[in-house]
Amino acid sequence: MKVPLGKFIASAALCLWLTGCAQTGPPLPPSLELPKPPADLRASRKGNRVTLTWSEPILTTDRRSVRYLGPTLVCRSLDPDITACPNPAAMLPAPSTVAQNPKSSHGKQQKSGSSQGVTQTYTDTLSAALQQQDLSSEITYAVEVLNRNARGAGLSNRVHVPAVVTLPPPGNLAAELTDDGVVLTWASTDESQTSASPFNNSPVQFRYRIYRRDESSGKDAIAGEVPLGEPGSIHFTDSSLEWEKTYLYRITAVSIIKRPDSEIQVEGDDTPTVRVVAHDVFPPSVPAGLQAAYSGEGQKPFIDLIWAPVTNADLAGYSVYRSETNGATVGQPVKLNSGLVQSPSYRDSAVASGKTYSYSVSALDVRGNESQRSEATSESVP
């Protein structure tokens, strides 16, 4: 049967088009499944513990999505660089799941816009032998993530932490609330009993750092620092707190290395916290130096009062009390002012001839705490 030329051309074109769509290019070589080394390794030190964090690889070295991960080697050395990891400080087991590349069609996207793998964490404990006082000594860390065949593509970026010795926290931390603030006391560390002896010749300086945490917000603040001295009891007063808040105090010993171009600080472990409810029940100081003077010749009589100002930072004002004296009998004191007197002076114009008056003054703070009354002074109106 003879096929029309038009139908033949159309059929041939359709066949060529389908054949072109089926072409997928040259076959890809098999992947070695080597996880790409992490590039975001970070390290922080507290006492004798170094915390390492890094992102789990989601791509192989040939830019394919990781399907399987093996163990992770944690590498540690006193050398400034690590080129290999023959004796790892730790071997972490393979993760139970693998975070897939969100741009890949082989895995599910974990977070919108995320291109990072799951964050891994490891805490390394430093032995006493690794903690040194050499100003140049540092501990170098790296990690290597292996595949399920225990093969890796190399080490991560290197990170460094100082190898300086740290002191144990002081003992017997206690707190007392006073009108001046929170008074903290603790027992200083006896440096001569530490591995850093002799301390007098040490290039490392040590001080105590006092932390204050606002219990409601969870925010930490440094309340102050105290140099280490002779062993014994140390006192520190925190006057920068806010009244009517609850605080948690703790203390840590800080090791400090001063270099020509920088200063390195490493904190030791913290003491247990002590809790302080800063409820102000403390009145201001009692006014002193009260004097009374009569005036009234040719005018309506009055008595002027003056006294030394109270210097408390939270002073709100004063109250003035008066009682009438009849011979040896003194009446009950009556407060003269309706609102607080703002300055250390007062004029009493409600006086009568032939009377003797006794005066006293008290101070009040912004929370309404009132001091005891001053020593009384008397004045007579002719």
Side-chain angles (χ1 to χ4, degrees):
M1 184 179 72
K2 186 175 181 180
V3 178
L5 181 59
K7 286 187 176 182
F8 176 79
I9 294 174
S11 298
L14 178 61
C15 181
L16 289 174
W17 181 78
L18 291 174
T19 302
C21 290
Q23 290 180 349
T24 59
L28 295 174
S31 174
L32 296 177
E33 290 286 344
L34 298 178
K36 188 176 181 181
D40 62 346
L41 179 65
R42 300 175 298 279
S44 62
R45 183 180 169 190
K46 175 77 171 174
N48 65 347
R49 298 179 306 281
V50 177
T51 301
L52 303 173
T53 58
W54 66 94
S55 297
E56 192 178 276
I58 59 175
L59 294 176
T60 62
T61 53
D62 47 9
R63 303 193 62 79
R64 299 187 188 183
S65 293
V66 169
R67 293 186 298 168
Y68 308 102
L69 287 179
T72 297
L73 305 181
V74 177
C75 313
R76 179 187 65 205
S77 175
L78 287 174
D79 295 329
D81 194 13
I82 303 177
T83 57
C85 193
N87 299 304
M91 177 179 287
L92 310 182
S96 57
T97 59
V98 176
Q100 300 290 345
N101 185 350
K103 296 182 180 179
S104 168
S105 60
H106 298 290
K108 295 181 179 179
Q109 181 173 343
Q110 294 212 355
K111 291 184 179 180
S112 175
S114 173
S115 59
Q116 296 285 334
V118 175
T119 298
Q120 299 292 347
T121 301
Y122 173 75
T123 299
D124 185 34
T125 301
L126 302 179
S127 65
L130 286 172
Q131 300 182 61
Q132 305 179 19
Q133 283 203 86
D134 185 346
L135 291 182
S136 62
S137 292
E138 291 186 326
I139 302 172
T140 305
Y141 285 93
V143 296
E144 182 176 12
V145 183
L146 308 179
N147 63 14
R148 60 179 176 176
N149 296 321
R151 295 183 59 192
L155 302 180
S156 69
N157 60 301
R158 282 63 161 174
V159 292
H160 310 275
V161 296
V164 62
V165 68
T166 57
L167 298 183
N172 304 325
L173 176 61
E176 180 185 3
L177 187 65
T178 70
D179 55 348
D180 292 326
V182 175
V183 178
L184 300 170
T185 58
W186 65 90
S188 179
T189 299
D190 184 355
E191 301 100 351
S192 64
Q193 302 301 315
T194 72
S195 60
S197 178
F199 266 61
N200 291 335
N201 299 321
S202 170
V204 182
Q205 299 178 10
F206 300 92
R207 68 173 69 126
Y208 287 123
R209 180 169 292 161
I210 300 99
Y211 280 102
R212 180 187 65 219
R213 172 172 293 181
D214 187 329
E215 190 177 63
S216 60
S217 67
K219 292 183 178 180
D220 280 334
I222 297 177
E225 295 186 346
V226 178
L228 266 72
E230 295 296 325
S233 181
I234 296 181
H235 300 261
F236 173 82
T237 301
D238 178 20
S239 302
S240 62
L241 56 80
E242 295 183 40
W243 292 104
E244 310 310 319
K245 286 191 173 184
T246 300
Y247 295 104
L248 300 172
Y249 286 89
R250 69 183 191 275
I251 298 178
T252 183
V254 186
S255 304
I256 303 167
I257 302 174
K258 291 186 178 292
R259 294 177 175 171
D261 56 347
S262 63
E263 180 179 285
I264 296 175
Q265 299 187 3
V266 180
E267 291 189 352
D269 292 327
D270 297 330
T271 63
T273 59
V274 292
R275 186 173 183 266
V276 176
V277 180
H279 179 48
D280 185 7
V281 295
F282 305 99
S285 302
V286 178
L290 177 62
Q291 299 179 34
Y294 162 76
S295 296
E297 296 296 333
Q299 60 181 330
K300 183 179 179 181
F302 59 86
I303 295 175
D304 275 335
L305 303 173
I306 58 171
W307 58 91
V310 172
T311 58
N312 295 78
D314 60 350
L315 178 72
Y318 306 91
S319 285
V320 178
Y321 295 85
R322 185 187 73 182
S323 58
E324 292 188 17
T325 301
N326 185 8
T329 303
V330 179
Q332 289 295 322
V334 176
K335 187 169 74 169
L336 297 180
N337 53 294
S338 56
L340 288 178
V341 177
Q342 298 299 315
S343 62
S345 62
Y346 184 82
R347 173 168 290 182
D348 181 13
S349 300
V351 295
S353 298
K355 299 281 189 179
T356 298
Y357 300 96
S358 178
Y359 295 93
S360 60
V361 180
S362 67
L364 292 91
D365 65 20
V366 294
R367 280 163 293 278
N369 296 308
E370 185 174 7
S371 73
Q372 294 182 352
R373 295 171 193 166
S374 66
E375 291 185 8
T377 187
S378 299
E379 181 69 320
S380 298
V381 179

